[in-house]
Amino acid sequence: MTDAALPRPDSGRSARLYELASARTTEPRANGSENPVEKQHTVVDDITEQLAYRIAAGLHQPGELLPSVRQVAAEFGTSTPTANSALGRLAALGFVEPRRGLGYLVRDIQLYGGIDTWRFLFRFARQLPDRAAMLFADVIDVDHMLVMEAFQTFIADPRRYDLSVAVQALDRFELLVGDENTSRTDLMAAELHMLRCVFAAVGKPGKLSLFNTVGEVLIMIPEVGEAFYGPVEPAGHLFLGRMLQQIWQSDTELDLPELGVLETIMRNYHDQVVETFRTLIGANAEPSSASVPNQP
């Protein structure tokens, strides 16, 4: 969707939101910040990751039997209990299915993969950029749906809900926005927390749990933080939060943004995020390999 296709509001808060959401940076940043979550891998982690990568890369096809526990143990130079633990974890993640008397059958992760499978697949984003971009677009669609539903619920009756905790989180986000040394990943974590507080305030526990899961997926890859603030700088995100705060705290009738306009602007923004991510992950792509890939 192009900017020209957007209906431009005449004045007021909606016009300001349009301005910020329509502004693009000239070029996406190519270098992401480091992932703040460092985890030391165990042997089970390494075996699980390599086998999952082989399935994601198509080296093991759906319906195919994986090597036996003994074969996996021999290949990786480990004990059969360790190999069995790795295969059990692979099954829990949705990559394989145990079959009594046969072993582990590769699942069609495109058809049967759950949110845990998605999360794990993003470990291979730079090795499998096309698959990562496709999954990312789906995750963003879920994120868009959840955020818009929360906004619609709030705007329908803003004084019904207590956003005080969300405003505190927004204040923290503003401090980070004002610090030029803050990484995009840290900014995104702070903004996700603010949105999490909004979901809690409007009483959507089921949607909040799904949003938390989506957030965990998104925060894993440095390129995601860059993509979120490529089309609209952090100040634009801050403006939207302050707009919600003003609506909540005002004692008078306000010129509320039309939900149709807000939906169109947010859809355009999220589409730009997906395209920016596709560009960034393609630029940072690493050669595919059957060996254990590095963490993104």
Side-chain angles (χ1 to χ4, degrees):
M1 182 182 296
T2 65
D3 291 343
L6 286 174
R8 182 184 295 274
D10 295 331
S11 61
R13 189 177 296 102
S14 296
R16 175 62 177 147
L17 182 61
Y18 175 92
E19 243 174 66
L20 289 163
S22 298
R24 302 172 184 242
T25 52
T26 56
E27 187 176 327
R29 296 173 180 84
N31 297 319
S33 54
E34 293 298 321
N35 189 336
V37 180
E38 298 272 345
K39 180 192 170 192
Q40 177 138 15
H41 272 197
T42 65
V43 174
V44 170
D45 291 330
D46 288 340
I47 296 172
T48 303
E49 188 164 321
Q50 178 153 331
L51 293 176
Y53 174 70
R54 291 176 184 176
I55 293 170
L59 301 179
H60 293 300
Q61 292 294 314
E64 177 184 330
L65 279 173
L66 279 186
S68 68
V69 173
R70 291 185 181 280
Q71 288 172 320
V72 170
E75 178 183 352
F76 290 94
T78 189
S79 65
T80 53
T82 297
N84 195 50
S85 294
L87 289 168
R89 187 174 174 212
L90 201 64
L93 289 167
F95 286 89
V96 297
E97 180 181 347
R99 290 290 181 88
R100 185 182 296 275
L102 291 176
Y104 288 89
L105 201 67
V106 176
R107 300 183 80 197
D108 187 337
I109 55 176
Q110 184 72 23
L111 288 178
Y112 300 107
I115 196 68
D116 287 334
T117 317
W118 281 14
R119 185 188 296 117
F120 209 83
L121 280 171
F122 271 111
R123 293 170 180 261
F124 318 129
R126 292 176 181 168
Q127 289 77 27
L128 303 170
D130 290 340
R131 179 181 283 275
M134 180 186 68
L135 287 174
F136 182 72
D138 285 343
V139 170
I140 290 299
D141 279 345
V142 174
D143 179 62
H144 175 84
M145 175 191 67
L146 293 172
V147 169
M148 286 307 306
E149 182 174 329
F151 284 177
Q152 289 167 4
T153 300
F154 169 72
I155 289 175
D157 190 3
R159 289 165 188 82
R160 177 181 174 185
Y161 307 105
D162 182 1
L163 292 191
S164 54
V165 176
V167 170
Q168 292 174 11
L170 183 62
D171 291 340
R172 170 62 179 162
F173 178 61
E174 183 171 25
L175 288 175
L176 294 177
V177 170
D179 183 354
E180 62 181 15
N181 295 318
T182 304
S183 71
R184 295 306 208 209
T185 300
D186 288 343
L187 281 170
M188 187 176 173
E191 184 174 359
L192 287 172
H193 180 63
M194 184 271 292
L195 291 170
R196 183 178 298 120
C197 293
V198 172
F199 276 100
V202 298
K204 300 279 188 182
K207 300 293 173 52
L208 174 57
S209 65
L210 182 54
F211 179 79
N212 283 337
T213 303
V214 169
E216 289 174 14
V217 172
L218 294 176
I219 208 70
M220 288 180 61
I221 312 171
E223 284 88 351
V224 172
E226 293 296 312
F228 262 75
Y229 300 111
V232 179
E233 287 293 325
H237 295 246
L238 178 62
F239 172 82
L240 179 59
R242 291 303 183 198
M243 182 186 76
L244 293 177
Q245 179 185 354
Q246 185 182 0
I247 293 170
W248 174 58
Q249 292 179 332
S250 177
D251 293 327
T252 61
E253 290 298 320
L254 294 173
D255 173 29
L256 299 182
E258 293 181 14
L259 287 177
V261 173
L262 183 60
E263 160 69 27
T264 303
I265 290 171
M266 291 295 289
R267 182 69 268 174
N268 181 68
Y269 161 70
H270 281 133
D271 288 345
Q272 291 180 41
V273 168
V274 169
E275 289 307 311
T276 304
F277 177 79
R278 191 184 303 277
T279 299
L280 290 168
I281 205 69
N284 293 335
E286 298 173 3
S288 295
S289 167
S291 62
V292 178
N294 296 325
Q295 287 278 45

